[in-house]
């Protein structure tokens, strides 16, 4: 079993080093993380790996190494709560993120799992905050803003602004995302108004 364990981890490491990770390896990692450490060998191996493995993935993301993105997307969707938050923060961990990198993040499939992270309750506040931070950076860049607009985060972000129970930090980031969208698109501005918020002539979003 030790040899199987080592072989499984070697496949994941290779996926981070290769130019194109095997879909089979990514699928097996996704399935193993989904079942967790209580169901079978692969689940125990994946759950054991995701702690130190996440650190390595995040190190690669900080250097804008696109080879990490496929594995990062699996962790973002199926990893433990803390892991998902770490990976999200690693995607756009700087205020000065280049548009080319943001397009790669969007193209890798980050928006659906980020959207799922917004659906958690207050117990998932770290995940929620981390996802909002990424979406704030994505919505601020002209290259990636249209993708954020198309996915439809406006309703959820408006809810976070209007409901003070989410906390000031979460509400601030949600408002920043809405501001970015409203300033760039009148259609988005109108959609924000429909959620019960005020948008002025230059796209600034406020509570009524």
């Amino acid at each position: 079993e030790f040899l199987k364990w080592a072989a499984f981890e070697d496949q994941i490491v290779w996926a981070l080093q290769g130019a194109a990770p095997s879909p089979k390896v990514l699928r097996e990692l996704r399935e193993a993380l989904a079942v967790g450490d209580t169901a079978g060998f692969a689940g125990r191996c994946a759950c054991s790996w995701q702690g130190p493995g996440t650190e390595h993935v995040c190190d690669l993301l900080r250097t804008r190494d696109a080879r990490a993105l496929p594995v990062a997307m699996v962790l973002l969707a199926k990893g433990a709560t803390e892991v998902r938050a770490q990976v999200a923060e690693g995607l756009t961990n700087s205020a000065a993120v280049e548009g080319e990198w943001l397009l790669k993040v969007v193209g890798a499939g980050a928006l659906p799992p980020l959207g799922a992270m917004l659906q958690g309750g207050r117990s998932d506040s770290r995940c929620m905050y981390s996802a909002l931070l990424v979406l704030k950076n994505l919505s601020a860049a002209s290259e990636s803003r249209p993708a954020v607009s198309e996915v439809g985060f406006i309703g959820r972000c408006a809810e976070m602004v209007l409901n003070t129970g989410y906390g000031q930090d979460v509400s601030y980031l949600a408002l920043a995302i809405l501001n970015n969208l409203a300033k760039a698109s009148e259609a988005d501005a109108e959609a924000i108004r429909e959620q019960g918020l005020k948008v002025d002539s230059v796209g600034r979003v406020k509570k009524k």
Side-chain angles (χ1 to χ4, degrees), residues 48-101:
S48 173
W49 171 85
Q50 71 174 319
T54 298
E55 292 295 331
H56 180 47
V57 169
C58 289
D59 285 343
L60 293 174
L61 292 175
R62 292 184 191 102
T63 62
R64 306 293 179 248
D65 191 332
R67 292 177 300 176
L69 286 172
V71 173
M73 293 304 105
V74 175
L75 292 172
L76 199 63
K78 297 297 182 181
T81 299
E82 183 69 19
V83 166
R84 286 182 287 144
Q86 284 181 259
V87 172
E89 291 165 9
L91 289 173
T92 59
N93 63 329
S94 169
V97 184
E98 295 180 359
E100 182 180 352
W101 172 253

Side-chain angles (χ1 to χ4, degrees), residues 156-170:
R156 184 60 171 148
C157 286
E159 180 185 350
M160 293 175 178
V161 172
L162 293 167
N163 187 342
T164 57
Y166 287 104
Q168 186 175 358
D169 291 342
V170 165

